[in-house]
Amino acid sequence: MKLRNAFIIAALALTGASAPDEHWTSYGRDASEQRFSPLDQINVDTVAQLGLAWRFDMRDGRGVEATPLEVDGVLYVTSAWSVVYALDATNGKPLWEFDPAVDRAVGARACCDAVNRGLAYRDGRIFVAALDGRLIAVDAKTGTQIWATQTLDGGNWPYVITGAPRVAGKLVLIGNSGADLGARGYVTAYDTDTGKLAWRFFTVPGNPANGPDHAASDLIMAKVAETWAGEWWKQGGGGTVWDSITYDAALGQVYIGVGNGSPWNRQVRSADKGDNWFLASIVALDARTGEYRWHYQATPGDTWDATATQSIILADATVAGKPRKVLMQAPKNGFFYVIDRRTGKLLSAGNIVPMARTADTPKGAPISWAYGIDIKTGRPLENPEARYPGNTRVMVHPTGMGAHSWQPMAYSPKTNFAFIPAQDYAATFQADPQYQPIPNARASGLMPGGGIPQDNALRSAIAKSVHAKLIAWDVAAQKAAWTLDYAFAGNGGVLATNGNLVFQSGADGIFRAINAVTGKLMWTFDAQATAMGGPITYRIGGTQYIAIAIGNGGAHWLAGGLSSPQRKALPTGRVLVFKLGGSLVYDRTDTAPDPVNPPEPVTSDKAVLGRGAEKYGVFCAACHGFGGISGQVLPDLRRSPVAGDA
């Protein structure tokens, strides 16, 4: 469907839950999650005067993924292990600190480090979800705990929480993580005053022998189960709601982004049958009761870890002459979706990374999982061989770490552009006919990938095959208006402003301001680490500030050392705040990595080394890096004498 000149934004997203212009009171600034600020003191003409106003060092340097909040002159931010800091937003003076005292052993269940993406706020209360599953309400003025409730469903599921809660009226919502290690997903709503459970919605069916869940999802679950086969419940089925939850006050709905299957491989998970509702889907629920309203499944029968947990952005628009309430998402699978949020009807879907039919793909190159979307049915036009049938081994893209991972995108109603931190990875897929679940090991159902080749030329080629860029996506034309290419993947979230600027932090540690219309680079600052969660902006006393929380963390900075800038992680996470005329000198840290002098190998037996590489890939690589090349957040095991100890 061609929407050029037909898709015209009528106003800022009229969701009924906007934030005051000068503040940043929720994860995406307001409930629309646009990450667009109407502030314009810092603009294309003045941004060259931007300088550091103040900085604050947090206690822990690993895994900083937070988007800060700013409410009434106080900046709130989280670090690793779900620790909350309250700071004077004008000068960084510490006001209080809240440490939920998470047992560090819980980190073994976190697939992607002990991170926390941020907070929610309502009526003088800050809400934080701790890694161990507790949802906690804290007094915003004093940092004193008001209530806490354990949100995890018990049993032996490997749940943790890394996401930010969202407020929907008098309710606060939270999901969880765990599908990668074998779990069943759900989202739960709690009363903001008392912490009492209001409703719960499971995203995949449970064991039929156990009967109903006595949850809001019971009304739809029998129909959902018809799209599944086999004994999926033995590893939970997956579908965790670990990031995006968006509240639509105008329609009384919440939209949840649902993750991958568990195991990933549908051949193992669901006897290679069925769409497996609600995996890799956007699901609309009644905000008050949690009852199902509609869903759109971006990747039916997901078998590639193609989560749809990425940013869900709301806007009011005119499409083909008709006013529509729409939502937009760019999930991992490589397409940008515009959906009518009243009905769930797909309006448009263009590819943000190159997609091609297999016949058009050069020999030896990875194939696309799909080459388009049928607008009438909403279903993907798949390459059948991408499902790696039988014993075939296929390299597929995009997948896993992209095309758009969790780092939040932004949307500007001024330009009608969505700004997407994109990266195009390829990965090999081959079914494991002997697959057996292993506790705390990735539930993939795939043959181990083995080690990364030792040849330096091949390693360089692999690193260069990862394409990363910031895409200014023209929503009407369904194509890129401009792109900014990056040397490395793992770049941070995005902020758009009324000053015609886009702010983003790169994996190289450079914080950038970019002309939102042209893509021209306007200003840079070497922060030495990435603001994964993205920048915010606010205004106090007539002065506009830009704030970021930096400190490398998450899946890419654990496993992706080969395609990341090789540098030591900062010793602490940091908050950096900028203003026009800011003059604080930034004393930088030596981040040059220590030299790698691996111990002598204990054997030259290629069969033994091959088995070792496979074991390393299953148990160690997700945290310590593929091929033993760490992203520097956790130790690089090539330096460890233990690696050569029998």
Side-chain angles (χ1 to χ4, degrees):
M1 176 182 291
K2 293 183 178 180
L3 296 180
R4 180 181 292 275
N5 300 324
F7 191 115
I8 304 172
I9 295 302
L12 293 179
L14 303 177
T15 59
S18 60
D21 287 356
E22 66 268 28
H23 296 304
W24 194 285
T25 57
S26 67
Y27 186 70
R29 197 187 80 86
D30 63 11
S32 72
E33 302 260 337
Q34 291 184 3
R35 291 180 176 255
F36 174 82
S37 171
L39 300 181
D40 61 3
Q41 183 183 83
I42 301 169
N43 56 53
V44 291
D45 296 321
T46 63
V47 70
Q49 304 167 36
L50 198 62
L52 187 63
W54 59 264
R55 65 175 264 194
F56 173 80
D57 284 7
M58 297 182 278
R59 286 193 287 116
D60 201 313
R62 68 184 278 187
V64 178
E65 292 190 352
T67 294
L69 303 184
E70 185 278 322
V71 183
D72 296 332
V74 180
L75 188 125
Y76 302 93
V77 66
T78 57
S79 67
W81 305 109
S82 321
V83 178
V84 185
Y85 300 87
L87 311 170
D88 185 308
T90 63
N91 58 32
K93 178 184 176 182
L95 302 177
W96 54 257
E97 176 184 329
F98 176 78
D99 185 350
V102 173
D103 183 346
R104 298 314 195 240
V106 174
R109 301 202 302 266
C111 86
C112 308
D113 208 8
V115 298
N116 185 277
R117 293 190 183 86
L119 305 157
Y121 171 83
R122 177 186 166 88
D123 294 341
R125 296 183 179 189
I126 291 290
F127 301 94
V128 59
L131 189 70
D132 59 19
R134 288 172 292 154
L135 181 63
I136 304 169
V138 177
D139 186 289
K141 289 186 177 179
T142 66
T144 304
Q145 179 175 304
I146 299 172
W147 57 256
T149 185
Q150 178 54 254
T151 72
L152 301 185
D153 199 31
N156 294 318
W157 300 118
Y159 292 121
V160 294
I161 298 181
T162 59
R166 306 297 204 283
V167 168
K170 289 282 290 180
L171 300 177
V172 56
L173 279 65
I174 192 65
N176 48 60
S177 306
D180 283 333
L181 302 182
R184 181 190 183 197
Y186 60 88
V187 65
T188 316
Y190 298 88
D191 185 278
T192 56
D193 290 335
T194 66
K196 182 180 178 181
L197 189 150
W199 54 259
R200 174 167 290 174
F201 187 92
F202 286 92
T203 54
V204 302
N207 186 341
N210 293 339
D213 296 302
H214 306 291
S217 44
D218 285 351
L219 295 175
I220 190 67
M221 202 50 72
K223 188 172 183 179
V224 175
E226 294 174 2
T227 69
W228 288 74
E231 297 179 324
W232 68 86
W233 61 87
K234 287 188 174 181
Q235 278 200 274
T240 49
V241 184
W242 53 264
D243 192 8
S244 194
I245 303 169
T246 304
Y247 173 50
D248 183 348
L251 298 181
Q253 296 183 155
V254 293
Y255 310 99
I256 60 174
V258 184
N260 52 278
S262 179
W264 292 355
N265 180 2
R266 191 183 66 166
Q267 298 173 44
V268 176
R269 181 182 70 242
S270 186
D272 209 20
K273 299 175 183 176
D275 283 352
N276 295 181
W277 290 5
F278 293 110
L279 298 183
S281 299
I282 296 171
V283 184
L285 306 175
D286 185 295
R288 184 177 59 85
T289 66
E291 293 181 5
Y292 169 86
R293 288 193 173 177
W294 58 258
H295 79 280
Y296 176 78
Q297 190 168 37
T299 311
D302 172 41
T303 196
W304 306 280
D305 180 30
T307 66
T309 52
Q310 289 64 36
S311 320
I312 297 172
I313 289 177
L314 310 184
D316 288 1
T318 299
V319 181
K322 181 179 179 181
R324 299 259 198 178
K325 294 186 176 297
V326 303
L327 63 77
M328 297 173 277
Q329 189 190 50
K332 278 188 181 180
N333 72 12
F335 294 93
F336 185 94
Y337 298 90
V338 180
I339 296 169
D340 186 314
R341 64 183 200 261
R342 290 185 184 274
T343 65
K345 176 180 173 60
L346 179 66
L347 301 177
S348 65
N351 54 291
I352 63 172
V353 296
M355 298 288 190
R357 295 175 184 266
T358 306
D360 301 329
T361 305
K363 188 174 182 180
I367 65 170
S368 309
W369 78 277
Y371 53 85
I373 306 294
D374 185 318
I375 293 297
K376 291 183 179 179
T377 66
R379 296 185 68 87
L381 305 172
E382 286 191 16
N383 283 319
E385 57 268 49
R387 286 194 174 270
Y388 49 97
N391 197 39
T392 58
R393 187 175 185 87
V394 183
M395 183 170 283
V396 182
H397 84 102
T399 187
M401 307 287 264
H404 174 212
S405 190
W406 69 268
Q407 291 94 319
M409 68 179 183
Y411 167 76
S412 170
K414 189 172 183 178
T415 60
N416 198 23
F417 292 169
F419 301 97
I420 309 165
Q423 50 199 35
D424 192 0
Y425 279 81
T428 55
F429 290 84
Q430 183 178 15
D432 182 358
Q434 307 300 321
Y435 173 74
Q436 293 294 328
I438 301 172
N440 290 323
R442 198 166 297 276
S444 67
L446 303 172
M447 292 291 288
I452 289 177
Q454 297 298 311
D455 182 270
N456 287 333
L458 286 175
R459 290 189 171 204
S460 177
I462 292 171
K464 290 178 180 177
S465 72
V466 179
H467 305 288
K469 58 185 66 180
L470 176 63
I471 302 173
W473 186 258
D474 186 323
V475 176
Q478 281 289 288
K479 67 179 184 179
W482 55 259
T483 62
L484 181 64
D485 292 327
Y486 287 109
F488 302 101
N491 302 292
V494 186
L495 162 69
T497 76
N498 196 42
N500 278 334
L501 290 171
V502 175
F503 291 88
Q504 186 190 25
S505 176
D508 53 8
I510 305 298
F511 185 36
R512 295 169 171 86
I514 303 145
N515 186 308
V517 177
T518 66
K520 180 182 177 181
L521 190 62
M522 305 296 293
W523 171 88
T524 63
F525 180 88
D526 182 7
Q528 295 194 292
T530 312
M532 301 289 285
I536 70 166
T537 188
Y538 55 91
R539 183 176 61 209
I540 299 173
T543 299
Q544 182 182 355
Y545 298 87
I546 306 286
I548 54 175
I550 64 171
N552 300 334
H556 184 85
W557 289 101
L558 291 175
L562 184 64
S563 57
S564 302
Q566 281 292 294
R567 62 172 187 242
K568 289 181 187 174
L570 293 177
T572 65
R574 290 175 179 165
V575 178
L576 303 181
V577 176
F578 304 84
K579 67 178 182 179
L580 298 180
S583 58
L584 181 67
V585 176
Y586 188 52
D587 52 325
R588 293 183 170 82
T589 301
D590 180 8
T591 58
D594 295 329
V596 177
N597 296 304
E600 291 297 319
V602 295
T603 180
S604 59
D605 187 318
K606 290 185 178 180
V608 173
L609 293 173
R611 290 197 299 274
E614 288 189 359
K615 294 293 186 185
Y616 179 90
V618 171
F619 293 103
C620 313
C623 290
H624 290 278
F626 291 106
I629 304 172
S630 168
Q632 308 298 321
V633 174
L634 295 184
D636 191 311
L637 297 182
R638 292 175 296 167
R639 300 186 178 93
S640 172
V642 177
D645 189 306

